[in-house]
Amino acid sequence: MALIVQKFGGTSVGNPDRIKNVARRVAKYRAKGDQVVVVVSAMSGVTDNLIKMAKEIMPIPNEREMDMLLATGEQTTIALTAIALHALDIPATSMTGAQAGIVTDDVHTKAKIKNISPKLVHEMLDAGNVVIVAGFQGQTIAGQITTLGRGGSDLTAIALAAALKADLCQIYTDVDGVYTADPRIVKTARHLPEISYDEMLELAGLGAKVMQSRSVEFAKKFGVVFEVRSSLNDNPGTIVKEETLSMEGVVIRGVSLDKNQAKVTLVAVPDQPGVAGHIFKAIADANINVDMIVQNISHKADKPSTDISFTVDKPELLKTQKVIEALKTKIGFSDVIADEKIGKLSIVGVGMRSHPGVAAKMFETLATEGVNIGMISTSEIKISVIIDLAKGEQAMCAVHEAFLGK
Ligand code: ASP
Ligand code: MG
């Protein structure tokens, strides 16, 4: 008898029919005698809609109340999924994150899991139930409801698989796994049978919205091998696991485009020691994640100043602007410019380590397309550029063709 964790994302549980579908799939595994733990997201669009309503009332709502609000999305789905299993005569019980023993820190809206004590999960499984756990949520030691950041149901699934020492972890979504690029945009994108944690991590972090990146980090840390596959068919998915030697033979595993970033530029910042520290400390204290940072060279020798640009997630732009405005008189920069019309285009592959000339080829391809590069950042296995959002998809197709076209 195997213990299986199956996670179903928002589109897989998007309406009652889809939820019945999920129940039928779960039933198939259970008929083989396996124990099944199901983790579900909110029905598609629900979380976005809850956020929208809160923001209609107040632009920056209290974060504890946002967690209270958003946790209801997943709570709806667990009960409906349990009911769908009951309709098939299968004993099933739903559980909130707290009931499943998921303990987090107290950073509301992006809490980190501290530990999991799945006592009740084990009890219910042993009593013959399918257990359905609400993704994306947990509880602090003090008993406050928290959420784990957007897309956090993936993390719930991976962390539960680790805590329960599951034999199999399947992440069901609306695509057949991971592709060399988003197949809705790049028609020649190809399916990948396997990918390393590090590549998946870069792709997830870079906005190929296959999975939340923290969940992949977690899987890497605890060695959880998992499969990403479609809930809409029985096609084989993509296995995500530790890097193997053969993976190095491929220069680029995939291309991604992140449309969820915004750029903030501080104009004429005094070029003195400590200024950048001051700015980014204030942003970090507000719990805002900064991704790329670019500082220009100083002009005017008498009163040296420089422009500093950085990117944040689009939903955090307002909060970031507020933090920055509060620093204006103290630091003495002249202006703040926000730009939401940017895209981050990235290429990823562990093979980059052993193949030279990858950056040059990417930049030349963009030049040929007439795409201007605003910012550049690189890591061992990734090159990212900030470009004009309007040219994002065109640039993505061209770069995919250059590296992965046949
Ligand atoms: N419902 C949450 C979100 O939309 C969590 C998830 O779907 O994984 O971000
Ligand atoms: Mg999701």
Side-chain angles (χ1 to χ4, degrees):
M1 184 177 66
L3 198 165
I4 305 177
V5 173
Q6 299 185 314
K7 183 258 170 179
F8 295 90
T11 40
S12 304
V13 293
N15 58 46
D17 275 337
R18 291 263 171 98
I19 292 176
K20 285 192 207 167
N21 241 348
V22 165
R24 278 193 288 272
R25 189 179 289 269
V26 172
K28 246 195 269 170
Y29 280 86
R30 195 166 177 284
K32 292 185 215 158
D34 296 331
Q35 290 190 321
V36 188
V37 173
V38 179
V39 175
V40 286
S41 290
M43 296 163 81
S44 56
V46 167
T47 307
D48 286 337
N49 195 39
L50 292 170
I51 294 173
K52 189 169 153 260
M53 285 195 290
K55 290 196 168 166
E56 268 169 34
I57 299 173
M58 193 180 179
I60 305 179
N62 175 279
E63 291 182 332
R64 179 194 178 273
E65 299 309 327
M66 285 309 286
D67 279 351
M68 187 62 84
L69 179 67
L70 298 192
T72 64
E74 272 68 14
Q75 211 167 317
T76 306
T77 326
I78 50 172
L80 290 174
T81 308
I83 292 167
L85 282 158
H86 295 166
L88 300 177
D89 277 332
I90 294 173
T93 187
S94 61
M95 282 186 206
T96 62
Q99 288 174 321
I102 297 171
V103 180
T104 73
D105 64 17
D106 55 10
V107 183
H108 283 291
T109 77
K110 45 182 125 170
K112 289 202 164 66
I113 296 179
K114 288 177 81 140
N115 60 69
I116 301 184
S117 339
K119 192 166 157 281
L120 192 57
V121 176
H122 279 301
E123 274 173 31
M124 287 301 179
L125 284 174
D126 291 345
N129 293 283
V130 170
V131 174
I132 302 136
V133 179
F136 177 56
Q137 55 172 262
Q139 179 175 275
T140 66
I141 293 168
Q144 301 284 355
I145 294 178
T146 51
T147 63
L148 308 175
R150 295 305 306 270
S153 301
D154 290 331
L155 182 60
T156 304
I158 301 282
L160 262 178
L164 296 168
K165 300 191 176 58
D167 301 289
L168 189 63
C169 179
Q170 300 176 319
I171 306 288
Y172 285 94
T173 175
D174 52 354
V175 289
D176 301 336
V178 186
Y179 281 72
T180 51
D182 184 341
R184 285 165 300 188
I185 302 172
V186 181
K187 295 296 165 225
T188 52
R190 278 175 279 130
H191 180 261
L192 294 166
E194 61 175 22
I195 188 169
S196 72
Y197 291 125
D198 285 335
E199 289 169 331
M200 181 73 178
L201 210 49
E202 293 288 14
L203 286 170
L206 295 171
K209 277 197 282 9
V210 195
M211 270 182 89
Q212 189 212 35
S213 41
R214 270 172 58 199
S215 61
V216 185
E217 269 164 31
F218 199 101
K220 183 184 174 192
K221 192 161 156 198
F222 292 95
V224 179
V225 176
F226 60 92
E227 182 186 12
V228 182
R229 52 183 296 175
S230 172
S231 67
L232 309 172
N233 58 47
D234 284 318
N235 298 345
T238 301
I239 305 285
V240 187
K241 58 180 192 185
E242 206 42 73
E243 184 177 332
T244 59
L245 254 183
S246 66
M247 288 181 179
E248 285 241 17
V250 184
V251 186
I252 297 300
R253 184 86 45 204
V255 182
S256 76
L257 177 65
D258 184 355
K259 300 178 177 179
N260 195 37
Q261 299 260 311
K263 184 168 85 173
V264 179
T265 302
L266 277 61
V267 182
V269 184
D271 196 5
Q272 292 156 5
V275 170
H278 196 143
I279 295 167
F280 291 104
K281 167 92 173 40
I283 293 171
D285 286 347
N287 257 308
I288 297 165
N289 289 322
V290 170
D291 183 27
M292 282 197 212
I293 302 175
V294 169
Q295 179 177 327
N296 285 344
I297 42 167
S298 220
H299 25 262
K300 290 202 211 107
D302 52 329
K303 202 174 162 232
S305 73
T306 176
D307 295 350
I308 298 180
S309 296
F310 58 92
T311 61
V312 295
D313 285 347
K314 235 174 232 177
E316 308 218 283
L317 182 59
L318 258 185
K319 195 167 147 194
T320 308
Q321 283 174 297
K322 229 178 136 181
V323 172
I324 294 296
E325 286 296 342
L327 297 176
K328 195 164 180 178
T329 40
K330 217 166 174 189
I331 294 185
F333 47 87
S334 72
D335 215 349
V336 187
I337 303 166
D339 184 359
E340 288 193 276
K341 296 199 172 63
I342 59 159
K344 180 163 83 167
L345 179 69
S346 310
I347 54 176
V348 172
V350 291
M352 235 182 249
R353 293 195 202 108
S354 47
H355 293 80
V358 178
K361 184 167 169 181
M362 181 186 195
F363 301 160
E364 274 165 21
T365 307
L366 292 171
T368 311
E369 292 294 311
V371 175
N372 189 44
I373 300 173
M375 295 164 106
I376 301 171
S377 85
T378 61
S379 81
E380 231 196 337
I381 64 163
K382 171 203 76 178
I383 300 167
S384 300
V385 296
I386 295 292
I387 57 175
D388 180 6
L389 184 59
K391 289 193 172 164
E393 298 193 355
Q394 172 203 343
M396 185 185 194
C397 291
V399 169
H400 184 273
E401 185 58 33
F403 285 99
L404 293 153
K406 283 266 161 74

